[in-house]
Each structure stands twice: as structure tokens, then as C-alpha cells.
Amino acid sequence: MATTTWTRRHILSLADFVSEEYNTVLQTAASFQEVLSRRLKKVPSLQGQLVANLFFEPSTRTRSSFELAAKRLSADTLNFAPGTSSLTKGETILDTAKTYLAMGCDMMVIRHKQAGVPQAIADEMDRLDSRVGILNAGDGQHEHPSQGLLDLFTICSLLDPDRPHLELLEGKKIAIVGDILHSRVARSNIWSLTATGAEVHLAGPPTLVPQLFADFGTGRAGRLFLHWTIEPALQDADFVMTLRLQKERMDQNLLPSLREYHQRFGITRERLKLCKPNVKVLHPGPVNRGVEISSDLMDDPEFSLISQQVTSGVAVRMALLYLMGGGKA
Ligand code: NCD
């Protein structure tokens, strides 16, 4: 296990993560990946600690993955379902969080459709001097740090399974294609990938890749490029990350049609010929099959890292809970 002096109580954003923190998460996750390959996939690290999953927005993999991660670390878990909670009786989100605090919660994993909710709960917990750690599991269009970290881990551990670390991405070309505008996953990935020496290329229609994203590259170790056609982003790429078209977040008519989107920006076998021969494709899920990626490509293990991302998610979330819970070598 990596020796660490982890100082972050909350994990809310990757914008200010530093290299040592990324490498600590990657190495700790690699140790847990090994634990998860054993027959007995459980360690006692968080025995006696309580982790609450507060998901105010739908989720399949993130919620299950955090719950499983907490259980594999022997923590007790509570799952909150907004539809059957006192929220329906007018209780505020902060009061819901304080209820879990009063039950002795040590960490809260929070997803909300509004950007800034996990930060607001973290501020309140700090104001109350509670020592509770808050983990952002996706807030509006803002950030999804654990997804950014698991994508980074998936890529780095493909390059070196024994010692995944940031420096492996030096000189690699990574394309992020699709609905960047509405994607918290894209934002967290832009922060993590530009913290390495990689070249990060964003591609999508101008309505979904606005010019303001160019600012994300300022002062970063890696370089960031924007494209409104897909070819220059895919040319010689080592990794292609495609994103779901977030129809629920599109309130204006930002696209002519899904068919046309697929024709112009869909990831297909034909298009991958532009990339490096051993290119790999990532997608955070859930997938609109045949829109952002062709259905057969999604299922092809030669190219697709989608199930590795899900598997890595558990190890990475174990690492985050472990580090926040005060875990050391
Ligand atoms: C993403 C999310 O909810 O932000 N999914 C996930 O957590 N794996 C991406 C999405 O909804 O498209």
C-alpha cells in the first residue's frame, strides 16, 4: 500500500489536485485491485465507520460502485432514496445531511443535479466542526472526480498494471469526443489528463464544445486542443473517450438529429483507423448505443475498455474512501 500523507478531508473537484495526490490514489487503487482479485475480496480498513450514499439523482454504476467499495472495506453503509425520503415532506438537503451526521456518519457520498450541492454540504459539515468527509459523486455539469480518477486509473494501469502513475501519459494523445458542454465527466477528465504531460483533444459540434473550454488548458502540464470536426482529434490518438449525449440536460435545440450526430461524431471501426493501431476506447456509461459509439464496437474487447472502467471504479472508490478515512500504509 502506498505510504501517504493524505490531507484532503473532502473530494469535491479535481481542479486543484496535485501530482502526488493523483499518484497516491493510483497506487492505492492498484493495491485494492489486487485485493479484489483474491477469493476473499474484503479488508477490515473501515470497520466501524459509516458511509452514507446520498444520491439525489439517478445512478446505476456510481452508486453501486461506491456501495460495494465501502462494503469491501468493511464499512457500514446507508443508502438514501430521495423518492421515499423526508425530502418529499419538504426537508432541506442540509437537514437531511445533518440527520445522517447525527447518526454518526463518517463519510457522505453525494450526487445532485445542481452543481455545488456537495460543496455546500461540506461547508456546513466543516462549520459544525464535524470531521465528516464529503465525496462528490457528480454535481450538475460541474464535476465527477471519482469518474475522472477511475478513467485515469484504467488508462495508467493498462500501460503499467504494477505501477500505474501519471508520468506514463507523457506524450500520449487522448481524444474526448461528444457532449463536453453538459458533461461533468469531461470536466473532471480535462483536469486529470492535463495534469499529465498528455495532449488532450476535445471534439464535438461547436454547440457542445464551446470556445470557453480552451481556458481549461491554461497553466496545465499537458496541452488542450478544441476541434469542431472529429478527424483531427482522432488522428494518431492513443485513447478515445466518448461521452453520452445528455439529452436530459439539453434545453435548447443544440443538435439537428441523433442520426446526423452519429454520422459526424459517432465512434465507429472505420473512424478508429485514423488512430494508433492499438487505440482503446472509453465511455463512462450509460451508453446510447449507435449514437456516440457503434453498438458492435462497444462490445469488442479488442478496443473497448468500458467493462475495465466499471471494474476499476470499485478499486478507485475503495482507495478514495480509505484515504479519506485516514488509511495509511
Ligand atoms: C455519468 C454521470 O452521471 O455523470 N455517468 C457515470 O457516472 N458513470 C455520465 C452520464 O450521465 O452520461
Side-chain angles (χ1 to χ4, degrees), residues 57-59 61-62 111 137-138 140 144 147 183-185 243-246 248-249 283-286 317:
E57 196 200 71
S59 167
R61 63 216 89 213
T62 307
R111 167 170 289 195
H144 193 347
Q147 182 73 43
S183 176
R184 53 195 176 209
V185 175
L243 302 166
R244 184 174 67 91
L245 271 184
Q246 304 212 2
E248 76 279 20
R249 292 192 217 277
H283 191 307
R317 288 172 175 129

Side-chain angles (χ1 to χ4, degrees), residues 200-255:
V200 181
H201 293 252
L202 309 181
T207 46
L208 299 181
V209 186
Q211 188 61 40
L212 65 94
F213 277 91
D215 294 347
F216 276 63
T218 313
R220 311 290 295 167
R223 296 202 298 152
L224 185 68
F225 303 85
L226 268 56
H227 308 280
W228 295 327
T229 52
I230 194 169
E231 289 76 14
L234 294 191
Q235 193 67 53
D236 296 320
D238 297 280
F239 295 94
V240 178
M241 212 174 254
T242 173
L243 302 166
R244 184 174 67 91
L245 271 184
Q246 304 212 2
K247 297 174 210 147
E248 76 279 20
R249 292 192 217 277
M250 287 195 203
D251 36 23
Q252 307 127 24
N253 295 322
L254 297 173
L255 288 172

Side-chain angles (χ1 to χ4, degrees), residues 1 31-49 67-77 314 318 322:
M1 190 85 39
S31 308
F32 286 125
Q33 191 84 299
E34 189 276 314
V35 169
L36 293 172
S37 68
R38 297 180 197 161
R39 203 177 64 82
L40 191 67
K41 302 175 177 60
K42 206 164 172 146
V43 287
S45 316
L46 294 187
Q47 208 157 41
Q49 294 208 33
E67 186 180 351
L68 184 58
K71 289 191 159 130
R72 296 289 198 220
L73 292 167
S74 307
D76 295 316
T77 54
V314 181
M318 283 174 82
Y322 171 85

Side-chain angles (χ1 to χ4, degrees), residues 7 82 120 122 164 190 247 252 261:
T7 52
I190 292 170
K247 297 174 210 147
Q252 307 127 24
Y261 176 83

Side-chain angles (χ1 to χ4, degrees), residues 269-286:
R269 263 172 222 285
E270 199 46 39
R271 286 220 159 102
L272 286 189
K273 290 184 183 152
L274 290 168
C275 306
K276 293 257 176 69
N278 56 354
V279 64
K280 299 286 180 226
V281 179
L282 296 97
H283 191 307

